[in-house]
Amino acid sequence: MPARVVNVTAAPMTFMERLYLPAILKGMALTFSHFFRNLVDIKRLPTIQFPEMRRVYSERYRGRHILKTREDGSLKCVACYMCETACPADCIHIEAGEHPVLAYEKYPVKFEIDFLRCVMCGFCVDACPKDAIWMTKDYEMSYFDRESAIYGIEKLRETREDTAAGGPGYGYRPYYGESPMRKAGEFEPSGLALLPVLKKRAEAINRMPPPKAAPPAAKTA
Ligand code: SF4
Ligand code: SF4
C-alpha cells in the first residue's frame, strides 16, 4: 500500500489577513470590551481583590496547624509520637516530658513542625488519639529563612485570633460541629465524617442492638 502523504502546507493568506490590521483591531476590541465590563461590573470578575477580598475555603481546608488546649489551658497533646510517626514528610519533631498531673502522664516539652517540609496532608490530625492537633484555614505562610518556618509550641498553640471573626477559622479536623451525628453523640468516623459511604456505615452501626450482657459465671465448689 503506497504511503499516504499529508499536506501540512499552510493555506495562502487572504488579502485581509495580509493587512494584519483587522485582526489587531478585532483583538483590541475584545480586550477593551472585557476591560470596560470589568470596570463597571466588578462582581463578575473571576479574580478576587486580595487581601481586601478573601475566598471562602472549605471546612476541610488543610492550612496551618494548631495544638488544641484543655480547659485549664494545658496542651491536649500527650507526646505519644503518633503524629510524628504518621507524618510522611518527617517534619514533626517531639520531645516528651513527664507531666506534673499524674493523669496526663506525658506532655510535649518540644513540639515543632517544619512548614517548609510539610505537605499539608492532614495525616497527623488523623493519627492523633487525643484530638490535640487540628488544622486551620490559614494559608498566609511565607518565610525569609528556614528557622522562621519551624513552628514551636508557642506558635502552634491555639489562640483566640484563630477562631475570631475575620480570623482563619478551623480547617481539617477529626469532626465537624455542624454534623447531626456529632450532635446526637453517635459514632462518627474520624476525619471522614462527610463521606457518604462511611456515613451509611455509621448509621448501620448505630442501628445495631447493644451487645447482650454475658451470663454470670457458674459458681464452682
Ligand atoms: S500535614 Fe502531613 S506532612 Fe504536614 S505535619 Fe501533618 S502529617 Fe506531616
Ligand atoms: S498524636 Fe496527638 S497526642 Fe500524640 S504527639 Fe501528636 S499531637 Fe500529641
Side-chain angles (χ1 to χ4, degrees):
M1 192 177 163
R4 194 163 155 253
V5 178
V6 178
N7 184 8
V8 292
T9 317
M13 292 170 77
T14 62
F15 173 71
M16 289 298 277
E17 282 171 339
R18 271 187 281 134
L19 278 181
Y20 290 108
L21 210 54
I24 291 172
L25 290 177
K26 205 171 152 189
M28 294 297 282
L30 185 66
T31 303
F32 278 106
S33 71
H34 282 288
F35 174 72
F36 287 114
R37 192 193 69 191
N38 294 341
L39 267 187
V40 294
D41 191 4
I42 202 163
K43 282 186 187 154
R44 282 185 56 182
L45 267 179
T47 51
I48 59 167
Q49 308 298 309
F50 183 84
E52 291 79 18
M53 288 166 67
R54 282 162 197 266
R55 206 175 288 287
V56 178
Y57 284 106
S58 152
E59 285 292 294
R60 296 167 65 80
Y61 186 84
R62 290 167 169 84
R64 174 177 53 82
H65 304 57
I66 47 169
L67 290 176
K68 299 286 291 173
T69 54
R70 301 188 184 95
E71 281 182 4
D72 62 7
S74 64
L75 292 179
K76 279 186 174 182
C77 176
V78 292
C80 69
Y81 296 96
M82 296 276 270
C83 53
E84 187 178 311
T85 309
C87 177
D90 196 20
C91 62
I92 302 180
H93 175 67
I94 302 169
E95 284 175 24
E98 200 172 330
H99 202 286
V101 179
L102 200 61
Y104 299 157
E105 292 190 13
K106 287 200 301 173
Y107 78 106
V109 178
K110 199 174 197 180
F111 192 116
E112 288 178 346
I113 299 181
D114 183 346
F115 281 106
L116 287 186
R117 298 183 69 167
C118 176
V119 294
M120 299 295 178
C121 64
F123 284 7
C124 49
V125 177
D126 294 336
C128 182
K130 289 291 178 186
D131 190 27
I133 184 165
W134 286 14
M135 294 174 98
T136 64
K137 286 184 273 213
D138 184 9
Y139 51 85
E140 292 178 50
M141 299 156 77
S142 51
Y143 319 100
F144 288 108
D145 51 55
R146 177 164 284 277
E147 280 66 41
S148 49
I150 299 173
Y151 282 29
I153 290 175
E154 63 289 347
K155 281 169 102 175
L156 288 171
R157 183 189 287 273
E158 180 181 9
T159 62
R160 282 196 190 149
E161 287 76 48
D162 289 323
T163 47
Y170 293 139
Y172 190 66
R173 52 194 189 275
Y175 51 79
Y176 298 83
E178 302 74 28
S179 163
M181 293 170 72
R182 170 79 183 162
K183 277 184 194 156
E186 294 174 332
F187 169 82
E188 184 173 272
S190 169
L192 299 167
L194 299 183
L195 288 180
V197 174
L198 283 172
K199 263 192 163 180
K200 280 191 177 163
R201 182 170 167 265
E203 282 161 13
I205 290 173
N206 288 325
R207 277 198 302 272
M208 282 165 69
K212 286 181 184 160
K219 283 183 184 170
T220 50

